[in-house]
Amino acid sequence: EVQLVESGGGLVQPGRSLKLSCAASGFTFSNYYMAWVRQAPKKGLEWVATISTSGSRTYYPDSVKGRFTISRDNAKSSLYLQMNSLKSEDTATYYCARHGATRVPNWFAYWGQGTLVTVSS
Amino acid sequence: DIQMTQSPSSLPASLGERVTISCRASQGISNNLNWYQQKPDGTIKPLIYYTSNLQSGVPSRFSGSGSGTDYSLTISSLEPEDFAMYYCQQDASFPYTFGAGTKLELK
């Protein structure tokens, strides 16, 4: 059974940093692109980042480019999101997701339960 | 960026009813359109990928169709567990984008 378990969320002040983690199990982690998707309170879903199987390619929307960094450790089956220069508009539940097919960044086939990040002074 | 416009934003419906949710892309996305269901506790469940392919374990009352810029999700006969939020999403090109969502609620 595929499982994705996020951790690392919490309350952080504007301008500070936070690092999220996602522990994956139930599949061959190194074969799949991985992603982070977020949802601000009472809002819709927003894709935040995607990383290739080896970690050599990363993709971001303009809203987080230059501030967020996605990374992975295939030996530990773990995904990370380093978030710097946090803003109040980054307040959201952050979901770890696995892309659907091997070696292709297509649909989000599996999702974690999410971890809440609150950016506030 | 490709904008995804979902309609309606709210859809009151009854048990057993057939409903359709629409999603329009701002440009052609070549069937690279997916659907997700979100329950009030935040749990997100993928339903359909590449326009019409059911994710494993999804009941056959769910179906998807469309082409070009216009796509739809149909539930043939509503069950109690179907009342939730639904989102469309394109993976034709980065940045991947979602529709604003449709709240399917009990009439």
Side-chain angles (χ1 to χ4, degrees):
Chain A
E1 178 193 6
V2 172
Q3 285 198 314
L4 301 169
V5 180
E6 304 93 338
S7 61
L11 176 63
V12 60
Q13 293 179 329
R16 303 298 291 265
S17 299
L18 196 66
K19 187 173 185 177
L20 306 182
S21 300
C22 171
S25 61
F27 64 101
T28 303
F29 183 74
S30 58
N31 284 353
Y32 292 87
Y33 278 64
M34 297 295 295
W36 291 95
V37 178
R38 69 183 179 184
Q39 184 173 40
K42 307 292 187 187
K43 300 291 186 183
L45 299 169
E46 179 187 19
W47 166 75
V48 171
T50 284
I51 188 167
S52 64
T53 53
S54 66
S56 61
R57 292 184 298 278
T58 56
Y59 309 85
Y60 307 93
D62 287 345
S63 58
V64 307
K65 194 175 296 182
R67 298 189 301 122
F68 288 13
T69 302
I70 188 172
S71 62
R72 65 191 296 160
D73 184 335
N74 286 343
K76 295 182 178 180
S77 295
S78 293
L79 179 72
Y80 307 100
L81 184 67
Q82 177 68 47
M83 304 184 292
N84 298 332
S85 303
L86 281 162
K87 307 175 182 180
S88 58
E89 51 263 43
D90 296 319
T91 294
T93 296
Y94 285 75
Y95 293 93
C96 170
R98 196 202 85 178
H99 283 280
T102 56
R103 302 179 178 84
V104 178
N106 44 25
W107 87 101
F108 305 111
Y110 294 92
W111 297 65
Q113 288 299 304
T115 187
L116 178 62
V117 173
T118 303
V119 183
S120 174
S121 55
Chain B
D1 298 4
I2 299 174
Q3 310 303 315
M4 307 300 295
T5 303
Q6 248 181 276
S7 61
S9 57
S10 177
L11 180 55
S14 304
L15 290 171
E17 188 173 340
R18 178 186 178 92
V19 297
T20 297
I21 299 169
S22 297
C23 186
R24 174 168 288 176
S26 59
Q27 64 190 72
I29 54 173
S30 304
N31 293 108
N32 291 292
L33 191 283
N34 314 303
W35 292 95
Y36 305 89
Q37 177 193 69
Q38 186 176 32
K39 292 293 182 73
D41 69 355
T43 301
I44 298 173
K45 178 181 179 181
L47 297 175
I48 290 172
Y49 62 96
Y50 199 64
T51 297
S52 59
N53 296 277
L54 253 60
Q55 178 92 353
S56 176
V58 173
S60 59
R61 63 180 180 273
F62 290 90
S63 64
S65 64
S67 64
T69 61
D70 294 321
Y71 299 84
S72 62
L73 170 71
T74 297
I75 309 173
S76 61
S77 180
L78 284 170
E79 298 284 338
E81 61 268 28
D82 298 338
F83 293 93
M85 284 291 292
Y86 291 84
Y87 294 94
C88 63
Q89 176 250 333
Q90 65 83 18
D91 61 12
S93 64
F94 288 113
Y96 290 166
T97 45
F98 290 86
T102 295
K103 186 174 185 178
L104 181 56
E105 40 194 9
L106 191 58
K107 188 185 291 183

